[in-house]
Amino acid sequence: SKAKLFDEKTDTRTSFKDVAGLEGAKEEVEEIVEFLRNPDKYTSLGGKIPKGALLVGPPGTGKTLLAKAVAGEAKVPFFSLSGSDFVEMFVGVGASRVRDLFKQAKEKSPAIIFIDEIDAIGRARGKNNFTGSNDERENTLNQLLTEMDGFGTNTNVIVLAATNRADVLDKALMRAGRFDRQIYVDLPDIRERKEIFEVHLRPIKTAETLDIDFLAKQTPGFSGADIANVCNEAALIAARKEKKAVTKQDFLDAVDRIVGGLEKKNKIIT
Ligand code: ATP
C-alpha cells in the first residue's frame, strides 16, 4: 500500500485574516501571492518568478498557517509534506516521493508546495553519516535540489519551506534560484498576542467582561499555537463547570495548565 505523504487541496478557507500579527512576514508573502495570481504579468519583461522561500522561526508561530494563507489568498492548490516523514524511509522512496510531488504540483500550477521541518531532509550533507537512512536523506535532499533547479521559468510553482533550525541547513538550499528568500516568523510580542487572542476568541462564547489586554500580559513567551491552545482549554474548562460563558478565571486556569505543560516539555528535553 502506498503511504500518502502529502495532501493537496485548494484551501480557500485560510486567509491572511486568520494570521494575526506577523506584519513583516505577511508583507513579504503578499508578493508571492501576487506572483501566483498573475504569473504572466511578472514574467512578461523577462523576469523570473522566485522558486522558493524559507520560513524561519520557533515552533507554533504560524509558519504552516502562513503558507496555507498564501495558497488560500492566491486561490491555488496547496501541496504539503513534512521532512520528518522521510526519516527511516527505504532507499529510493524519499527521492521518488519528491519527484512525484513536484510532478503533481506542476500539473496543477500555479501551485504552492509546502515542506514543513525541512531540516529533517535539508541538514548539511556529509555530517553524521553513520546510518543507511542518512544516505537516503541525502538522496531525498539531492532530488529536492534537482527539482528546484529543473523548474522552467514558467512553471509557476513556488516552494515554501519551514524550519526552526536555519543554521543546520545545507548551504546549497539557500543558493540563488532555490530558497533564496528567508522570511522570519518570530514569537509574538504583547500587541501581537492580543491580536492572536482576538482571532482565537472568535468562535468562543466569552463573558462580556473579558479583558484581552490582561490575557496578552499574562502570556509572555507564548507562541500562537500556545494561545490557540489556551482559548480552547478555557472553553473546555468552563463547559465542564456547566458555565454559560467562558470567564477570565477559566482563561487563567488554562494559562496555568499550558505553562505547566511547557515546563514539563522543557524538563524532558534537558
Ligand atoms: P511548527 O514549527 O511547530 O510546525 P508552525 O510555525 O508551522 O509550527 P502553525 O502550525 O502554523 O505553526 O501554528 C499552529 C496553530 O497555532 C495554527 O493552526 C493556529 O491555530 C495557531 N497560530 C500560530 N500562529 C498564529 C498566528 N500568528 N495567528 C493566529 N493563529 C496562530
Side-chain angles (χ1 to χ4, degrees):
S1 71
K2 252 187 170 179
K4 202 165 170 255
L5 282 180
F6 50 84
D7 297 312
E8 178 245 318
K9 53 181 184 284
T10 308
D11 192 346
T12 46
R13 285 165 306 166
T14 307
S15 76
F16 285 147
K17 277 202 212 87
D18 301 306
V19 187
L22 303 181
E23 295 310 327
K26 270 200 258 183
E27 222 165 84
E28 293 200 48
V29 296
E30 196 109 40
E31 207 183 2
I32 294 173
V33 172
E34 271 289 301
F35 290 142
L36 290 168
R37 275 191 186 151
N38 311 294
D40 297 341
K41 172 177 161 185
Y42 288 95
T43 52
S44 66
L45 304 178
K48 290 178 192 151
I49 287 177
K51 291 175 182 175
L54 201 58
L55 304 172
V56 183
T61 45
K63 299 182 289 299
T64 307
L65 186 67
L66 194 61
K68 277 190 182 160
V70 169
E73 293 279 344
K75 297 193 169 58
V76 304
F78 180 78
F79 295 84
S80 74
L81 57 80
S82 175
S84 58
D85 295 337
F86 291 92
V87 175
E88 303 199 2
M89 204 169 251
F90 291 114
V91 174
V93 176
S96 85
R97 294 287 156 153
V98 168
R99 204 177 306 126
D100 211 35
L101 176 68
F102 277 76
K103 184 166 171 276
Q104 289 200 44
K106 276 184 244 178
E107 280 167 10
K108 297 258 167 72
S109 80
I112 284 282
I113 291 178
F114 176 65
I115 305 175
D116 201 2
E117 300 179 59
I118 193 169
D119 38 291
I121 40 176
R123 263 165 209 275
R125 284 166 290 187
K127 286 189 185 154
N128 305 319
N129 210 350
F130 304 121
T131 62
S133 70
N134 205 59
D135 288 342
E136 180 46 16
R137 189 186 61 72
E138 275 191 24
N139 288 340
T140 307
L141 173 58
N142 288 333
Q143 188 62 38
L144 177 62
L145 297 174
T146 304
E147 292 293 342
M148 290 191 80
D149 292 344
F151 275 14
T153 45
N154 50 9
T155 311
N156 302 334
V157 174
I158 296 183
V159 189
L160 297 176
T163 183
N164 39 47
R165 295 294 315 271
D167 55 314
V168 301
L169 290 181
D170 197 307
K171 293 287 171 285
L173 277 168
M174 268 84 96
R175 218 164 277 157
R178 293 172 181 164
F179 297 99
D180 48 12
R181 296 175 176 216
Q182 295 201 13
I183 299 170
Y184 289 91
V185 179
D186 274 326
L187 282 172
D189 62 19
I190 187 165
R191 190 184 50 82
E192 291 172 309
R193 291 200 298 277
K194 188 181 167 192
E195 288 175 30
I196 297 171
F197 266 112
E198 277 161 359
V199 166
H200 290 282
L201 286 172
R202 274 184 213 150
I204 292 179
K205 268 186 151 177
T206 53
E208 289 160 80
T209 51
L210 199 68
D211 179 353
I212 299 176
D213 285 302
F214 175 76
L215 291 175
K217 232 177 256 167
Q218 296 303 309
T219 48
F222 277 44
S223 67
D226 296 331
I227 292 172
N229 222 339
V230 166
C231 295
N232 195 59
E233 275 293 326
L236 296 180
I237 289 169
R240 191 172 303 130
K241 293 178 180 160
E242 328 262 333
K243 290 189 190 173
K244 291 269 183 295
V246 191
T247 64
K248 179 176 167 178
Q249 190 55 51
D250 300 319
F251 279 94
L252 289 177
D253 291 347
V255 168
D256 279 347
R257 197 173 276 189
I258 307 293
V259 168
L262 291 175
E263 277 168 1
K264 240 187 237 153
K265 230 194 307 183
N266 290 339
K267 254 187 215 139
I268 291 165
I269 289 165
T270 51

